[in-house]
Amino acid sequence: MSKRTVIVSGGLLEEAFVLEILKSEETEFIVAADRGLIFLYEHQILPDYIVGDFDSTPEEVVSYYRNETRVPIRKFNPVKDASDTEIALRLCLELGRKHVLILGATGNRADHLWANVQALNIALDAGVDARILDSYNQIRLLDRGITLRREEAFGPYFSVFPLAGMVADFNILGAKYPLYHHLLTPHDSLCVSNEFAEDEVEISFPLGEVILMETRDTPKIAGERGVYS
């Protein structure tokens, strides 16, 4: 099983869910992105790297890691061209990390969530498997087809949206609502909340990029099958 890198960002961090992921044997490397450092500090977890402008992190927290540990810290001016989560993701690529989970990328701020979804394209272009995760949602980008297996699925529902314009010849097989040679556009909600009809669902398209959201109505427990590893 491939070892994963976990970015802890400053959005929604569900304590039990996040702690189980961070303490899992599959988690090899942890990057704290600004306010996500508070969660690690409160739970006495030492990250491998810290990045951010720290405009929303108490100075005593940053000072502790700066003065009491040897964790590398990259501090950025608050007036910058990228979010703290994007900076953390770019660091992961720089360090050659191949499997990245981003926690704390969802929450109350829809603008931050959308910025984080768009940042996944940086990883996609680099051939890195990066995903946004909370107990209800797993979000990733695809530039090629994929087979989803019911027994490994994050949740019972999945939705697909085009990321950068229309996607021609888009197909979904094995689902409750199949599609054949469809023109997927950014202007409708046709592909929201599909479900498995068979044990495997095949999504295919020749060109383009799409957002795949796997979701559920009840919280996901990190130890259950289907959580990204």
Side-chain angles (χ1 to χ4, degrees), residues 46-85:
L46 195 67
D48 296 280
Y49 231 109
I50 299 169
V51 302
D53 54 32
F54 308 120
D55 61 347
S56 57
T57 305
E59 177 56 34
E60 60 266 26
V61 173
V62 181
S63 294
Y64 166 78
Y65 287 98
R66 181 184 296 115
N67 299 324
E68 303 296 331
T69 76
R70 295 184 179 181
V71 177
I73 299 175
R74 289 191 183 181
K75 183 174 182 178
F76 295 83
N77 190 313
V79 182
K80 59 188 188 303
D81 295 328
S83 68
D84 295 311
T85 303

Side-chain angles (χ1 to χ4, degrees), residues 2 10 24 40 43 68 82 89 92 96 98 111 116 139 174 178 205 207 210 222 228:
S2 299
S24 167
L40 299 179
H43 292 88
E68 303 296 331
L89 183 56
C92 291
K98 296 299 183 183
D111 55 343
N116 292 333
I139 306 171
F205 52 98
L207 293 171
V210 301
Y228 169 60

